[in-house]
């Protein structure tokens, strides 16, 4: 059986089974679903004399000599490898024991980037594999799979084990994809695909196997996403009455003219709210594009229907900002009678009690808050409209907790993390989307520059000049989890240093994650009231405040920040009419960090940045790891395999239309696989 524990396969045993567990492998089936992350075509190698500098290549040869370089600080091991055509030197650092592994005349395969070093070709720290005479058939002369490894498990061992298990159990694998779907798309049976994804006979079959597995992954994931949507929109929701005059009144009340994109989003919201089926919509737009204003329209529409609305934000600062914004915008005019309240965890207990009571009695029309809104004791009289801000900061289940406080309320999700269309379809195929791709007029431009840390003095000088002309500035330091204390000390020291030297005579404030909320708020308030000139901060600013006069930002060690983090940070400036300046102080070393910095200097367009981010990091890392199930997409990539994704989605729609509970016997395997791979979705789907 393919559910046989891997331990019982010949050549494994308890010790190896323990190691395999580190790769997530418990059963034969798990092993067969451990896919290569790349392949090497070892049917013919590039002759060493023909390798090109600057590209990744695979060569094969025998070891001519291996020696430790005793003079090098990084304990280099140098190996000379030759084939009939020539020889190449290879070097590894800080692994002196390697010298005992490399034996003369041993056959070796090397994969890595070839460089030219003192006019000689060299491979620096290549992947290598020693080839033994016995098991050449799996490891040479064919397209060879390269697997993710763990300590104590080698490529050769894995290949052999997988080959054994394929022989014993591949025939038992069951097809998750129903036969009619397979036929429609000319997909091979699972047994054949799994065999060929490990040991493809040629490039054509390799691609076919990859596409087939990708289809299966997309198909399952799309079923999850669609069923989640159905679990919401198949219910009877609240039908709001929305008079055309309401939109007019709303526009008339605002102190500014809505952008075209905002108007469109508001029209979308109005149309959804008027329907009986619950709304499930996401507003995407860059920081500052005016999403919140559009969301407020929905809150007001709920009020005109004598119902309640709730806005949940991920941080207290953000919740407060929404609250004050609402008050500022609507305290006068047609909507001044809307009763609003702010609920955050630091709201005094007494006040909370009153708020709970008023929510229950329907005496509050709009509640704005944080996770505090999820408290079990909170009940509404009639919650009909829910806004979730920065939803990727909340789990899917938290969203469900809040909406459960109403009876199928309309749901609006806001996100400032722009999501390229393809990924959006993969992840949020269950949501309708409104995109706000236009900034309110009258904003200044943001110019971004990158300088090495060595230029910091000159940068500070420039900041000083701008501050003396009336600007306010942010100086941002990274806080990295592992060494938070050290980093914090660095930020504090730097703060004192800046205060004493570069910025003498100016008013500086410091905020960081270890301060209490009151402390942070006090400083933020001072900064807002322009009683401080420069705010030194750790990344807690990321989702922060809206201070138009602050239009200078310096990001220190910018190479340590992720691309979307940099974009979010930079979004704190350029919120006023003045032009803004952002300086990245960075000494990037890795290729990735160079690419990130280039991207952020090149554009302020959040969608372009998001696409770059995806290209650089790949979809699995784009969002927080935990919630989206993207990690389960192993062979599939929504960016490069869009066509397959779209086909799989079509069929997932057909299947779920026929059997939205996955209760048909032929769908049992789908349900069981979802239970295993996407437990977070299954609960939502089948509970609802
Ligand atoms: P987001 O939620 O997308 O980050 P907000 O809705 O908070 O953006 O808007 C940012 C700021 O711009 C707020 O102060 C808001 O009042 C203002 N604003 C929103 N829409 C417009 C507009 N069309 N014209 C001018 N200012 C606007
Ligand atoms: Mg509705």
């Amino acid at each position: 059986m393919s559910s046989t524990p891997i331990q019982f396969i010949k050549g494994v045993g308890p010790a190896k089974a323990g190691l395999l567990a580190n790769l997530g492998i418990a059963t034969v089936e798990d092993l067969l679903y451990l896919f290569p992350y790349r392949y090497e075509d070892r049917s013919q190698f590039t002759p060493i004399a023909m390798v090109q500098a600057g590209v990744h290549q695979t060569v094969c040869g025998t070891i001519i000599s291996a020696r430790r370089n005793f003079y090098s600080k990084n304990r280099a091991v140098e190996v000379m490898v030759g084939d009939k055509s020539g020889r190449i030197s290879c070097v590894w650092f800080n692994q002196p024991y390697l010298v005992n592994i490399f034996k003369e005349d041993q056959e070796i395969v090397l994969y890595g980037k070839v460089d030219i070093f003192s006019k000689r070709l060299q491979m620096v720290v290549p992947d290598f594999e020693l080839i033994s005479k016995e098991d050449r058939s799996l490891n040479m002369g064919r397209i060879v799979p390269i697997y993710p490894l763990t300590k104590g498990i080698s490529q050769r061992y894995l290949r052999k084990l997988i080959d054994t298990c394929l022989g014993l159990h591949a025939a038992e694998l069951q097809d998750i994809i129903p036969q009619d779907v397979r036929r429609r798309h000319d997909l091979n049976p699972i047994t054949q695909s799994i065999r060929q994804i490990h040991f493809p006979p040629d490039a054509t079959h390799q691609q076919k196997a990859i596409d087939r597995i990708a289809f299966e992954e997309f198909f399952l994931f799309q079923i999850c996403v669609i069923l989640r949507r159905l679990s919401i929109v198949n219910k009877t929701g609240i039908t709001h009455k929305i008079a055309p005059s309401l939109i007019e009144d709303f526009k008339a009340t605002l102190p500014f003219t809505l952008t075209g994109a905002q108007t469109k989003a508001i029209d979308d919201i109005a149309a959804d709210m008027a329907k009986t089926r619950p709304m499930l919509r996401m507003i995407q737009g860059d920081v500052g594009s005016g999403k919140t204003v559009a969301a407020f329209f929905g809150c007001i529409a709920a009020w005109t229907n004598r119902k309640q609305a709730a806005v949940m934000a991920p941080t207290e600062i953000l919740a407060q900002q929404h609250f004050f914004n609402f008050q500022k915008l609507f305290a006068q005019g047609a909507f001044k009678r809307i009763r609003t309240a702010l609920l955050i965890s630091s709201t005094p207990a007494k006040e909370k009690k009153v708020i709970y009571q008023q929510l229950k009695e329907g005496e509050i029309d709009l509640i704005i808050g944080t996770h505090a809104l999820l408290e079990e004791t909170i009940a509404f009289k009639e919650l009909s409209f829910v806004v979730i801000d920065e939803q990727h900061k909340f789990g899917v289940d938290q969203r469900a907790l809040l909406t459960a406080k109403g009876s199928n309320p309309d749901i609006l999700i806001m996100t400032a993390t722009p999501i390229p269309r393809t990924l959006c379809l993969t992840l949020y195929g269950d949501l309708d989307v409104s995109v706000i791709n236009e900034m309110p007029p009258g904003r200044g431009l943001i110019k971004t520059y990158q300088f090495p840390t060595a230029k910091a003095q000159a940068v500070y000088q420039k900041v000083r000049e701008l501050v003396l002309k009336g600007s306010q500035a942010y100086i941002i330091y990274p806080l990295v989890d592992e060494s938070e204390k050290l980093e914090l000390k660095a930020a504090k020291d730097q703060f004192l240093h800046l205060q004493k030297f570069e910025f003498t005579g100016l008013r500086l404030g410091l905020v960081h994650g270890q301060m209490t909320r009151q402390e942070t708020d006090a400083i933020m308030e001072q900064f807002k009231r322009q009683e401080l000139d420069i705010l030194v901060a750790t990344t807690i600013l990321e989702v922060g405040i809206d201070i138009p006069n602050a239009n200078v930002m310096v990001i220190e060690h910018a190479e340590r920040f992720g691309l979307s983090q940099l974009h979010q940070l930079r979004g704190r400036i350029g919120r006023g009419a003045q032009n803004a300046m952002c300086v990245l102080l960075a000494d990037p070393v890795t290729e990735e960090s160079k690419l990130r910095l280039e991207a952020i200097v090149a554009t302020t367009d959040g969608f372009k940045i998001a696409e770059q981010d995806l290209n650089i990091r790949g979809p699995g890392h784009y969002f927080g790891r935990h919630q989206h199930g993207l990690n389960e997409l192993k062979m599939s990539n929504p960016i490069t395999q869009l066509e397959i994704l779209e086909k799989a989605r079509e069929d997932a729609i057909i299947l779920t239309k026929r059997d939205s509970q996955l209760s048909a016997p032929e769908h049992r395997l789908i349900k069981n696989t979802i239970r295993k791979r996407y437990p977070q979705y299954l609960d939502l789907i089948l509970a609802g």
Side-chain angles (χ1 to χ4, degrees):
M1 289 267 292
S2 57
S3 59
T4 308
I6 196 72
Q7 178 177 344
F8 301 131
I9 299 296
K10 193 163 160 278
V12 184
K16 288 281 190 200
L19 297 174
L20 287 167
N22 296 333
L23 291 169
I25 295 165
T27 65
V28 168
E29 188 179 329
D30 296 337
L31 181 78
L32 295 182
Y33 274 84
L34 177 79
F35 298 130
Y37 69 91
R38 66 178 178 88
Y39 296 88
E40 271 176 26
D41 186 350
R42 296 185 185 170
S43 54
Q44 58 214 128
F45 293 99
T46 315
I48 287 176
M50 309 278 277
V51 296
Q52 291 171 354
V55 272
H56 278 81
Q57 275 152 109
T58 310
V59 299
C60 178
T62 50
I63 295 176
I64 297 167
S65 65
R67 64 179 192 98
R68 266 186 72 180
N69 183 343
F70 286 95
Y71 299 105
S72 85
K73 253 193 246 152
N74 44 23
R75 300 188 293 169
V77 169
E78 277 182 45
V79 175
M80 191 58 77
V81 174
D83 67 5
K84 280 186 209 132
S85 72
R87 47 177 61 188
I88 190 165
S89 126
C90 305
V91 56
W92 288 266
F93 305 110
N94 295 317
Q95 294 166 275
Y97 58 87
L98 282 179
V99 81
N100 302 318
I101 290 175
F102 297 129
K103 298 265 164 29
E104 269 175 44
D105 291 332
Q106 161 80 57
E107 191 174 10
I108 186 170
V109 173
L110 298 151
Y111 169 81
K113 198 160 116 183
V114 179
D115 285 325
I116 297 189
F117 186 74
S118 326
K119 295 194 183 161
R120 285 188 321 168
L121 288 171
Q122 187 170 62
M123 277 181 147
V124 181
V125 200
D127 284 355
F128 69 91
E129 207 179 300
L130 301 174
I131 302 299
S132 75
K133 298 253 163 0
E134 311 86 73
D135 48 21
R136 286 185 67 88
S137 66
L138 283 182
N139 300 305
M140 294 297 273
R142 64 187 315 159
I143 297 174
V144 175
I146 312 288
Y147 298 102
L149 293 182
T150 186
K151 203 165 183 272
I153 299 289
S154 69
Q155 293 291 351
R156 257 159 50 184
Y157 176 81
L158 265 182
R159 278 179 217 133
K160 184 142 195 223
L161 186 60
I162 287 174
D163 184 56
T164 305
C165 289
L166 282 171
L168 289 173
H169 297 294
E172 299 152 19
L173 290 173
Q174 286 178 296
D175 243 302
I176 294 169
I177 307 179
Q179 201 173 12
D180 57 321
V181 178
R182 262 186 288 144
R183 211 171 285 145
R184 188 154 44 244
H185 300 292
D186 186 26
L187 302 173
N188 286 332
I190 187 68
T191 298
Q192 186 183 349
S193 306
I194 288 282
R195 280 208 173 104
Q196 295 184 345
I197 206 154
H198 291 292
F199 297 106
D202 56 47
T204 317
H205 286 87
Q206 175 190 9
Q207 194 56 49
K208 201 156 157 77
I210 291 173
D211 289 353
R212 144 78 209 217
I213 298 295
F215 187 99
E216 181 170 314
E217 291 179 351
F218 282 140
F219 184 62
L220 267 188
F221 193 56
Q222 287 305 310
I223 290 176
C224 291
V225 165
I226 293 164
L227 287 184
R228 184 174 63 180
R229 174 180 174 86
L230 294 181
S231 78
I232 293 174
V233 302
N234 266 359
K235 299 210 174 109
T236 303
I238 296 149
T239 316
H240 293 89
K241 282 208 182 63
I242 301 192
S245 61
L246 180 64
I247 301 186
E248 292 317 309
D249 287 347
F250 184 73
K251 288 182 182 164
T253 307
L254 291 173
F256 44 72
T257 313
L258 291 173
T259 64
Q262 281 174 314
T263 307
K264 172 77 177 56
I266 287 171
D267 288 345
D268 290 344
I269 293 169
D272 277 357
M273 288 182 81
K275 287 181 187 152
T276 308
R277 73 158 180 80
M279 147 166 144
L280 184 56
R281 178 170 292 279
M282 171 188 269
I283 297 195
Q284 276 187 38
D286 240 325
V287 266
S289 62
K291 298 179 292 294
T292 316
V293 175
F296 284 160
F297 170 79
C299 300
I300 287 172
W303 169 75
T304 59
N305 282 266
R306 299 177 183 279
K307 298 191 179 7
Q308 293 166 293
V311 177
M312 181 164 72
T315 64
E316 303 211 332
I317 292 181
L318 215 51
Q320 282 167 329
Q321 192 172 294
H322 290 332
F323 180 70
F324 293 127
N325 239 338
F326 189 91
Q327 300 213 312
K328 198 176 78 194
L329 289 173
F330 304 110
Q332 309 295 323
F335 309 115
K336 62 170 183 270
R337 283 184 298 110
I338 298 179
R339 295 160 298 181
T340 57
L342 176 70
L343 182 66
I344 51 187
S345 54
S346 59
T347 305
K350 244 189 178 163
E351 230 172 276
K352 273 187 184 164
K353 251 180 130 177
V354 176
I355 291 177
Y356 292 173
Q357 188 64 27
Q358 290 176 328
L359 278 174
K360 208 161 88 194
E361 305 286 333
E363 288 161 11
I364 290 173
D365 305 306
L366 168 62
I367 183 91
I368 298 178
T370 55
H371 297 79
L373 293 173
L374 300 176
E375 284 289 319
E376 228 174 287
T377 41
I378 295 181
F380 290 78
K381 180 151 185 268
E382 197 177 4
L383 177 63
S384 78
F385 185 73
V386 169
V387 181
I388 296 173
D389 191 12
E390 293 299 336
Q391 75 125 15
H392 60 283
K393 307 252 161 157
F394 295 105
V396 183
D397 39 341
Q398 286 175 318
R399 182 170 107 190
L401 268 184
L402 183 57
T403 56
K405 293 184 185 295
S407 102
N408 306 323
D410 288 336
I411 304 171
L412 182 68
I413 284 162
M414 300 198 283
T415 179
T417 310
I419 306 164
R421 198 186 75 80
T422 53
L423 191 58
C424 194
L425 194 66
T426 323
L427 278 180
Y428 301 115
D430 57 336
L431 302 174
D432 297 309
V433 178
S434 302
V435 177
I436 300 193
N437 52 3
E438 190 181 348
M439 283 288 178
R443 298 259 169 101
L445 293 175
I446 305 180
K447 283 228 164 109
T448 306
Y449 307 89
Q450 184 194 331
F451 292 112
T453 311
K455 287 268 171 14
Q457 289 307 322
V459 170
Y460 294 146
Q461 193 53 43
K462 179 77 191 166
V463 171
R464 193 184 169 86
E465 272 171 36
L466 290 169
V467 167
L468 289 174
K469 282 187 195 148
S471 290
Q472 287 172 283
Y474 297 106
I475 297 183
I476 312 284
Y477 284 88
L479 265 195
V480 183
D481 286 342
E482 304 100 70
S483 56
E484 214 165 274
K485 283 218 177 90
L486 270 180
E487 302 274 347
L488 187 57
K489 184 171 178 315
K492 281 181 179 163
D493 287 353
Q494 187 65 8
F495 168 72
L496 293 174
H497 182 90
L498 290 173
Q499 176 76 82
K500 198 160 164 199
F501 298 101
E502 282 80 4
F503 299 124
T504 42
L506 300 181
R507 300 162 302 174
L508 269 66
L510 173 68
V511 292
H512 58 74
Q514 317 251 302
M515 289 162 67
T516 66
R517 191 185 68 84
Q518 280 85 353
E519 289 169 329
T520 314
D521 281 2
I523 305 262
M524 284 297 194
E525 261 320 299
Q526 277 182 299
F527 190 63
K528 206 167 188 167
R529 287 199 304 261
Q530 307 195 13
E531 292 163 14
L532 292 173
D533 304 304
I534 297 177
L535 191 64
V536 178
T538 58
T539 52
I540 57 164
L541 265 192
E542 197 180 337
V543 275
I545 41 165
D546 186 9
I547 301 175
N549 192 51
N551 54 14
V552 177
M553 177 174 283
V554 178
I555 304 180
E556 309 248 356
H557 300 294
E559 75 279 1
R560 294 208 216 155
F561 291 93
L563 192 46
S564 57
Q565 224 181 354
L566 286 171
H567 178 64
Q568 297 280 329
L569 279 171
R570 184 175 55 181
R572 301 294 114 214
I573 58 170
R575 300 181 77 104
Q578 308 285 332
N579 286 344
M581 177 182 83
C582 177
V583 179
L584 312 168
L585 284 174
D587 302 305
V589 184
T590 65
E591 200 57 30
E592 252 196 62
S593 58
K594 282 179 198 162
L595 287 173
R596 284 200 300 268
L597 293 167
E598 268 170 35
I600 203 86
V601 170
T603 180
T604 53
D605 180 330
F607 282 86
K608 283 197 188 131
I609 286 171
E611 240 156 60
Q612 277 296 327
D613 203 11
L614 263 172
N615 288 339
I616 296 172
R617 284 198 291 173
H621 299 280
Y622 186 67
F623 290 95
R625 233 158 246 264
H626 49 293
Q627 37 175 318
H628 294 284
L630 274 179
N631 281 351
E632 289 297 328
L633 301 184
K634 299 206 160 79
M635 291 312 271
S636 52
N637 179 336
I639 312 293
T640 55
Q641 294 165 309
L642 182 60
E643 234 174 274
I644 301 177
L645 166 62
E646 281 172 347
K647 279 188 201 155
R649 180 168 167 77
E650 269 168 40
D651 276 293
I653 290 171
I654 296 171
L655 185 141
T656 48
K657 224 176 230 158
R658 276 204 312 246
D659 183 10
S660 67
Q661 291 294 301
L662 302 178
S663 48
E666 69 268 28
H667 298 152
R668 187 168 306 141
L669 190 56
I670 294 179
K671 196 159 159 179
N672 287 341
T673 314
I674 290 177
R675 179 168 292 138
K676 204 166 144 203
R677 290 197 208 164
Y678 301 104
Q680 73 273 40
Y681 283 86
L682 196 79
D683 292 350
L684 276 173
I685 296 161
L686 303 177

